[in-house]
Amino acid sequence: MLYERDYHLGLTETEEQQYEEITGRKFWEKRVSGFGRVNNFMAYPKAARMCKSLFPNNYLDVAELRDVERLEHANEEFLSLLDNTECTERSILNFIREKEYYHIIGSIIWGLSINIGNHGAYLFPEFQLGSSYKADYLLLGKSSGGFEFIFVELESPYGNIVIQHPWCSKSFLYQSN
């Protein structure tokens, strides 16, 4: 769960009223085809956008990307953290979680020009892979072709990025950008 609020619990009365004013129908009513109000997803209350998604507590809300001032401030804070030579992987993970700056991880989709997520993006922190491995994040993007999965493993910007595997005599270089 990414957020303090559990969106599986649904909307408050106020949010339901706001949704009804925008759409002209109750939150759980199906939209009837034909004429009516235009679908204005970005105008819905945040909780409605979250609850309408497949994974409400892990949805990366694209409407938050419109708050440029917040994003600029978040990015400045993040760069300051990375400039600190005491910065560790755990401090990066804690920073993102505590401040709810999930756009930092979500930006992998757009920063790498990966053509996914145009029908929704979801983020799962500390995603367990079997009993031996845990990815720092699973980034899930939905597009017309279905779901795409990106496993994200963060490292300290000042740590060793070369590791020796016990099953191989060669070292592998992990690049973090």
Side-chain angles (χ1 to χ4, degrees):
M1 195 160 102
L2 294 179
Y3 307 100
E4 201 171 301
R5 177 176 173 181
D6 185 355
Y7 290 102
H8 284 291
L9 300 177
L11 306 181
T12 65
E13 274 187 46
T14 305
E15 291 165 338
E16 284 184 15
Q17 289 171 351
Q18 290 172 338
Y19 179 84
E20 192 172 346
E21 287 171 13
I22 293 166
T23 63
R25 64 182 186 282
K26 300 270 186 218
F27 183 69
W28 295 111
E29 274 182 12
K30 277 196 157 194
R31 184 176 179 180
V32 180
S33 62
F35 295 102
R37 295 190 183 178
V38 174
N39 181 4
N40 196 357
F41 183 74
M42 299 298 267
Y44 295 176
K46 178 179 179 166
R49 291 190 303 272
M50 303 300 267
C51 291
K52 289 267 185 200
S53 72
L54 183 60
F55 303 106
N57 292 323
N58 300 87
Y59 179 65
L60 291 175
D61 188 13
V62 293
E64 292 180 351
L65 298 177
R66 291 182 172 182
D67 188 351
V68 176
E69 189 174 307
R70 179 183 182 270
L71 295 177
E72 287 174 350
H73 176 72
N75 294 342
E76 287 172 15
E77 279 188 87
F78 187 59
L79 287 174
S80 293
L81 174 68
L82 294 179
D83 284 341
N84 181 350
T85 57
E86 301 295 316
C87 180
T88 64
E89 175 184 353
R90 180 54 45 199
S91 62
I92 294 170
L93 292 169
N94 290 341
F95 172 84
I96 292 170
R97 185 190 73 245
E98 290 167 7
K99 304 257 185 186
E100 293 186 0
Y101 288 165
Y102 300 115
H103 72 280
I104 292 171
I105 303 299
S107 67
I108 290 170
I109 292 173
W110 292 277
L112 296 177
S113 299
I114 300 171
N115 193 20
I116 64 170
N118 34 345
H119 293 290
Y122 307 90
L123 189 64
F124 298 86
E126 298 185 358
F127 189 81
Q128 190 71 41
L129 296 164
S131 59
S132 303
Y133 299 99
K134 186 185 292 186
D136 289 329
Y137 290 99
L138 166 61
L139 184 56
L140 179 64
K142 185 178 182 200
S143 61
S144 298
F147 287 98
E148 303 262 350
F149 301 85
I150 300 171
F151 294 98
V152 179
E153 183 64 30
L154 301 175
E155 298 296 335
S156 167
Y158 300 100
N160 188 1
I161 60 171
V162 178
I163 61 173
Q164 181 77 33
H165 284 281
W167 45 266
C168 183
S169 60
K170 294 183 179 181
S171 294
F172 291 90
L173 179 64
Y174 284 86
Q175 295 181 354
S176 57
N177 292 331

